[in-house]
Amino acid sequence: MQVERQADATSFLQRAGDFLLEREAEHNLILGLSGSLRTNPRLYGEDPYFAVVVDGDRTVGAAMRTPPHNLILSEIDDEDALEPIADDVRSVYESLPGVIGARETVARFVRLWEERTGAHGRVGIRQRIYRAAEASLPSGVSGEIRAYDEGDRALVLEWMDAFVAEALPEAPPENAEEWLDRNLANPDSGIDLWVDEGKSVSFGGFGGLTPNGIRIGPVYTPPELRRRGYATALVAEMTRMLLEGGRRFCFLFTDLANTTSNSIYQRVGYEPVTDVDLWSFA
């Protein structure tokens, strides 16, 4: 069993693409990021890391990172693949801010990383990946969807900062302006808002194009406007529009601690696929 380091996203997808596509929903984050990096290799400023683990002719795992962000682990088909991944990542990086992957897999990687670096890992967010192949639109929700325009910039930046403060255990490496500008510059990404009586009440982003799907998120409604169905209606309409636009699937991540979101998205067509954990290192 050995690690094959890949020079760029194109060679990574050539080597691991079939393996990743067999579980497209589980790998939507890796597929979406590597697809973007294929056309814009320095999208995040630094050279990305790509690795594929093979056992003879069989691919058993993969990993990627876009510094300064977290390491992302694929599904791992052989637990023995984690040792060479940890060794190879350690040969490139002295430290990691965190790692995300399937629950049991990422927990084993964390132990290996702790042994190699002395870092201490802790679970930041327990998440669930969902997939939808159709959208069921809710009834009785006041308002309608509309696309982002430049007049929404200040509000979306404010809401993105609020989303990060509420939903993420630690601030991401990029700020809200960097996230927004990157989203708007990508022709495969976008932002929609739910508007009720002329007032914007919720927003959602989409991007991370995969061969057959696309990821929705983040989604945010201010606390004083919640429990009115705005986010549910927005996600349902976004999902419908993206599916009608040619995507076979839409994906999204939820925080398992948020029982509301895990319930409402299932009502509009999303089915749970797998659980993933985001760990942080100190």
Side-chain angles (χ1 to χ4, degrees):
M1 195 170 298
Q2 66 184 46
V3 174
E4 296 181 355
R5 190 92 57 79
Q6 303 300 311
D8 53 35
T10 297
S11 62
F12 175 69
L13 289 171
Q14 288 173 342
R15 192 70 177 91
D18 290 343
F19 169 82
L20 297 170
L21 196 55
E22 287 176 358
R23 287 161 286 190
E24 187 171 358
E26 292 90 328
H27 295 138
N28 76 85
L29 183 59
I30 292 181
L31 286 166
L33 285 170
S34 54
S36 296
L37 291 165
R38 186 166 48 188
T39 56
N40 187 355
R42 298 300 297 273
L43 180 63
Y44 293 90
E46 298 184 37
D47 291 332
Y49 167 87
F50 299 103
V52 181
V53 188
V54 295
D55 184 8
D57 294 330
R58 185 170 69 106
T59 299
V60 295
M64 70 169 290
R65 185 183 180 216
T66 55
H69 297 84
N70 300 317
L71 181 74
I72 307 169
L73 296 176
S74 74
E75 297 283 316
I76 302 294
D77 288 349
D78 188 327
E79 184 178 339
D80 291 341
L82 289 171
E83 291 258 6
I85 291 177
D87 288 337
D88 193 67
V89 174
R90 183 67 180 87
S91 72
V92 178
Y93 303 113
E94 292 185 0
S95 63
L96 292 172
V99 57
I100 185 172
R103 175 161 298 165
E104 294 183 3
T105 295
V106 75
R108 290 194 291 268
F109 177 88
V110 167
R111 289 194 291 271
L112 294 171
W113 190 253
E114 289 173 334
E115 292 170 1
R116 284 157 175 74
T117 65
H120 174 67
R122 62 179 180 83
V123 177
I125 312 178
R126 296 194 184 278
Q127 297 175 298
R128 180 163 291 159
I129 296 174
Y130 285 84
R131 174 183 56 215
E134 59 183 11
S136 300
L137 305 182
S139 60
V141 180
S142 178
E144 60 185 359
I145 192 172
R146 72 162 172 81
Y148 169 95
D149 64 43
E150 193 56 31
D152 300 313
R153 183 176 182 87
L155 182 63
V156 169
L157 290 175
E158 177 186 339
W159 282 356
M160 188 62 184
D161 283 337
F163 169 81
V164 168
E166 179 179 330
L168 302 183
E170 297 178 9
E174 61 183 1
N175 61 35
E177 287 207 31
E178 291 169 328
W179 169 82
L180 179 58
D181 290 341
R182 179 167 51 80
N183 178 291
L184 297 176
N186 186 341
D188 297 323
S189 299
I191 295 168
D192 291 312
L193 294 95
W194 193 260
V195 179
D196 187 15
E197 296 183 351
K199 178 182 178 181
S200 298
V201 294
S202 185
F203 96 97
F206 63 88
L209 201 67
T210 70
N212 298 295
I214 195 166
R215 184 174 63 256
I216 288 178
V219 178
Y220 181 79
T221 305
E224 67 275 13
L225 297 172
R226 293 175 187 172
R227 293 175 294 281
R228 305 182 193 187
Y230 293 144
T232 307
L234 176 60
V235 168
E237 286 285 1
M238 291 173 68
T239 303
R240 178 189 63 79
M241 292 167 60
L242 291 166
L243 294 174
E244 291 182 356
R247 297 290 91 198
R248 288 182 58 197
F249 307 108
C250 287
F251 313 112
L252 57 79
F253 286 74
T254 63
D255 183 346
L256 283 173
N258 187 334
T259 56
T260 300
S261 64
N262 282 277
S263 171
I264 63 176
Y265 295 144
Q266 292 184 70
R267 294 190 213 128
V268 298
Y270 281 86
E271 299 177 346
V273 175
T274 193
D275 291 349
V276 296
D277 287 347
L278 169 63
W279 287 71
S280 297
F281 292 114

